[in-house]
């Protein structure tokens, strides 16, 4: 999935490489290439244009950081903007009052019947779904749904077969399905409606009359991602007529023009709820903008990189060099480090952002004593601004007040202040050998 786009982006970022600073020309070239790659992947051109404008604006503000190359920052920006392009995840609507009715629509060959069974199979973990054959004009369609449902061990309901001929009254089938669901405790009914080569009035009228008898909670259109902009156009047309609640994009396992997955939501306003990623009935994923963007960026840990960038953004303005840290290191800074530590997890991430700390390896926040971290934070939070900036003024009575305010003891306050002092001194030396051991022993985090 997205192999071509992924490859292009990765070559784009490797060209930006480890340059310490990017010129406007570098950014312009990169944005041109990005635009071309998106269009080749069949991302809607307006969506691509807006996306590039946002990325360009953010990329131009990228300053030089100690621990992160501009290329890394720009890839993090691209990742974030791709996610925001795909929109917030939209979970399937499940009615509090069963049965939940899901109407599946789609053009012939889009993967509608397969997706109906895939969805039922996915829902089987927590529900008792029933798939219903409503495409009565093509007997083969009924049979296909039945066979797939049997294979996936999903309940099936279809038209009555009299003397080798199927009933052709869709509304009768729908009513029959409701009764069947009641009798068999099916709490989700998924209607596999008729497929067509094109949208026509007859199809729309049929869908509308089904919806009248059995109002659906979800109206899902299945679209074939391989048809690129066609998929987007048919989604737009169906939405105007049916007021869709969601999309399933199929064949995202193929690579061709997967870009429609990126822009279909912005263009149509309908959220993608699931992605079909193979022919088998277990090949359906809940659509996750983050996962999709991660795949496109081709970086397992892009999320980690984004966090690193965010955290570095905070620290970089204050921390420039080890000498400066030693000079400015106060309890306010220490508190910020604690907060980062809590948010980020592995300390290497924070350590990597502070010059010199990046030498310290094999120390993970999981080893940390979370209680000690919380206590240390509470102690600093109970100090006045002045005290945090200038810890030397914290004498006897202040220590008692802080201990009380933080719900700790004077001894704990003394300990934190001693540790702070020790850490401040260590800033001058920890780039040398033994830094890791010394750091671990601080604050009781490593044992
Ligand atoms: P319908 O006419 O819309 O009901 O489409 P079908 O469900 O019959 O699917 C048409 C073809 O697409 C079948 O050969 C399916 O196996 C295939 N198909 C459906 N979804 C996917 C998918 O996510 N990935 C792949 N590779 N093939 C799919």
């Amino acid at each position: 999935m997205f192999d071509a786009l992924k490859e292009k982006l990765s070559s784009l970022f490797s060209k930006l490489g480890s340059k310490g600073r990017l010129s406007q020309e570098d950014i312009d070239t990169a944005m041109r290439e990005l635009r071309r790659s998106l269009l080749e992947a069949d991302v809607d051109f307006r969506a691509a244009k807006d996306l590039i404008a946002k990325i360009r604006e953010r990329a131009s503000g990228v300053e030089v950081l100690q621990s992160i190359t501009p290329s890394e920052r720009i890839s993090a920006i691209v990742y974030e903007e791709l996610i925001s392009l795909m929109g917030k995840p939209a979970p399937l609507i499940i009615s509090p009052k069963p049965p939940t009715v899901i109407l599946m629509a789609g053009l012939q060959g889009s993967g509608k019947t397969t997706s109906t069974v895939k969805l039922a199979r996915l829902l089987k973990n927590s529900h008792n779904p029933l798939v219903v054959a409503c495409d009565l004009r093509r007997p083969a369609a009924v049979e296909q749904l039945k066979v797939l449902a049997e294979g996936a061990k999903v309940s099936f309901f279809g038209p009555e077969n009299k003397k080798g001929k199927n009933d052709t009254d869709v509304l009768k089938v729908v009513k029959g399905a409701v009764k069947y669901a009641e009798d068999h405790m099916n709490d989700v009914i998924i209607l596999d409606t008729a497929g067509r080569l094109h949208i026509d009035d007859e199809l729309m009228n049929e869908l509308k009359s089904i919806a009248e008898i059995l109002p659906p909670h979800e109206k899902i259109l299945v679209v074939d991602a391989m048809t690129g902009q066609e998929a987007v156009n048919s989604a737009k047309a169906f939405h105007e007529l049916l007021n869709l609640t969601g999309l399933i994009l199929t064949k995202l396992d193929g690579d061709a023009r997967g870009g429609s997955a990126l822009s279909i939501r912005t263009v149509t306003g309908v959220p993608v709820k699931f992605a079909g990623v193979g022919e088998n009935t277990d090949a359906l994923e809940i659509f996750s903008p983050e996962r999709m963007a991660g795949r496109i960026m081709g970086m397992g840990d892009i999320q980690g990189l984004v966090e690193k960038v965010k955290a570095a953004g905070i620290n970089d303005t204050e921390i420039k060099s080890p000498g400066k840290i030693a000079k400015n290191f106060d309890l306010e800074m220490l508190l910020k480090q604690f907060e980062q530590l809590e948010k980020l997890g592995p300390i290497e991430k924070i350590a990597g952002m502070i010059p010199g700390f990046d030498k310290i390896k094999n120390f993970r926040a999981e080893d940390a004593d979370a209680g000690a971290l919380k206590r240390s934070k509470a102690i600093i939070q109970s100090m006045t601004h002045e005290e945090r900036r200038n810890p030397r003024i914290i004498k006897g009575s202040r220590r008692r007040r802080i201990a009380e305010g933080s719900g700790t003891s004077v001894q704990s306050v003394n300990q934190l202040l001693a540790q702070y002092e020790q850490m401040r001194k260590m800033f001058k030396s920890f780039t040398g050998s033994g830094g890791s051991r010394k750091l671990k022993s601080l604050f009781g985090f490593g044992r």
Side-chain angles (χ1 to χ4, degrees), residues 243-373:
N243 201 11
L244 301 168
T245 56
L247 299 171
I248 294 184
L249 272 180
T250 61
K251 308 183 197 178
L252 273 174
D253 46 318
D255 183 50
R257 303 160 129 196
S260 53
L262 302 180
S263 50
I264 197 163
R265 183 174 188 167
T266 351
V267 179
T268 64
V270 188
V272 181
K273 299 205 167 175
F274 299 92
V277 290
E279 294 195 51
N280 289 340
T281 54
D282 61 353
L284 187 74
E285 291 180 355
I286 292 175
F287 188 81
S288 152
E290 261 138 39
R291 190 154 2 106
M292 288 291 150
R295 279 187 188 152
I296 293 166
M297 300 305 293
M299 281 174 236
D301 195 22
I302 181 88
Q303 187 68 49
L305 177 62
V306 169
E307 280 173 10
K308 184 174 150 191
V309 167
K310 275 195 190 132
I314 297 164
N315 288 325
D316 186 68
T317 51
E318 298 162 19
I319 302 171
K320 297 283 187 225
S321 69
K324 201 164 173 192
I325 298 171
K327 214 164 117 220
N328 292 341
F329 183 63
D330 61 13
L331 289 167
E332 201 83 70
M333 270 173 80
L334 187 57
L335 180 63
K336 269 193 192 145
Q337 294 303 321
F338 287 157
E339 282 163 354
Q340 292 294 332
L341 186 60
E342 266 189 337
K343 261 192 260 156
L344 280 177
I347 201 169
E348 294 96 343
K349 288 196 179 164
I350 309 155
M353 289 151 211
I354 306 172
F357 267 55
D358 52 358
K359 304 257 185 331
I360 299 162
K361 297 273 185 251
N362 309 321
F363 180 53
R364 299 179 64 81
E366 284 92 281
D367 306 334
D369 174 350
L373 186 60

Side-chain angles (χ1 to χ4, degrees), residues 107-115 118 138 144 192 250-253 276-279 283:
L107 293 178
Q108 222 162 298
S110 61
K112 178 176 52 60
T113 303
T114 316
S115 300
K118 283 180 176 177
R138 291 185 305 137
Q144 187 198 358
D192 183 28
T250 61
K251 308 183 197 178
L252 273 174
D253 46 318
V277 290
E279 294 195 51

Side-chain angles (χ1 to χ4, degrees), residues 152-165:
K153 298 195 169 55
V154 163
S155 311
F156 165 87
F157 185 85
E160 250 180 74
N161 190 309
K162 283 184 200 141
K163 295 189 194 133
K165 279 192 98 178

